[in-house]
Amino acid sequence: MSKNLIERLNEGPVLCAEGYLFAMERRGYLQAGAFVPEVVLEHPEVVSQLHREFIRAGSDIVQAFTYYGHREKLRIIGKEKLLEPLQKNALKIAKDSRDEFKDLDLLVCGDVANTNIYDPNDKKTNIECQKMFEEQVQWAKEAGVDFVVAETITWLDEMKIALKAIKDAGLIAVCNFSIKRDETTRDGHTPGDACKILEDNGADVVGLNCFRGPKMTMKLLPEIREKVSCHVAALPVPYRTTEKDPGFINQIDPGCDCIPGGNAFPVALDNLYCNRYEMAEFTKECVDKKINFIGICCGAEPHHVREMAVALGRKPISYKYYPDMSKHYALGTDPTLKHLNTDVAKTL
Ligand SMILES: [Zn+2]
């Protein structure tokens, strides 16, 4: 019998690659803007391949690509009838991907996110949110997921509705907030206070994902770690967001003046991209600070994930192709390389 998420976290860090929207948009299978994962129905093989690449890179978790495949997102593109098939297909693709790697002890999770209809002043929307979370959690449960993540939610009270839906279904709940510029939830709680309230409401893991890059995410983690006793999660976006603009939703690329509208989010963030080593540093700092559910959100690619796995002392499958510059024709040190080339490396 394999261990559940909490038992795994009790033993040490768990790595989770997510952020499929951006990866699919870059590959030409998903439209920026509405960001609806229709790709799970139109090109399931592409989703399977991304899962495969993340698993090979060391992700312990296969997160079903149900993110933003919820009722409100499908309504806005006029395809609400696709809701159930989309959700079920995403869950099946995740499980099938896990099953390709029988030797690895992978966990599959479902996912719910910000509904975009939640309004604290309109109780009717709370009931609508609850229904949206419940239907998704139910499909995830039927698919036999190991746990469910509620993520990129900015309101504590919306998160509480999501958490209740997950716990009522008898599942392990991971609750990750996205925190805006002023470092509070939209209902005015500090991340630490909001996470503590979730822990008191039964959350198994609490923390942060999306919105902020590694440094601006790390900035908020000590307060959470101090206030809760459960496991803490951190899954930043791999972009160099700053004190001035901590969220990737508002970013300027000073090196470029041809971005339509001037905002580099979401499709022109390339120049602000974190490299693999920056993500590895973030991973090590998480370990030092006892953050155990470590991952990466929008913008993630397998090379980041592999370096994060290596930072945890692991050798994932794709470690087979880990860089070895000693054999590079000009920069290498292998004794069989020609001096004709190595001697001029600095001039190239
Ligand atoms: Zn994200």
Side-chain angles (χ1 to χ4, degrees), residues 152 209-210 237 248 297-298:
T152 62
N209 85 307
C210 211
V237 295
F248 78 153
C297 201
C298 303

Side-chain angles (χ1 to χ4, degrees), residues 18-22 67 151-152 178 209-212 235-238 248 296-299:
E18 59 160 339
Y20 306 113
L21 289 180
F22 274 45
Y67 184 84
E151 62 178 355
T152 62
S178 291
N209 85 307
C210 211
F211 272 33
R212 292 165 170 256
L235 304 94
V237 295
F248 78 153
I296 176 167
C297 201
C298 303

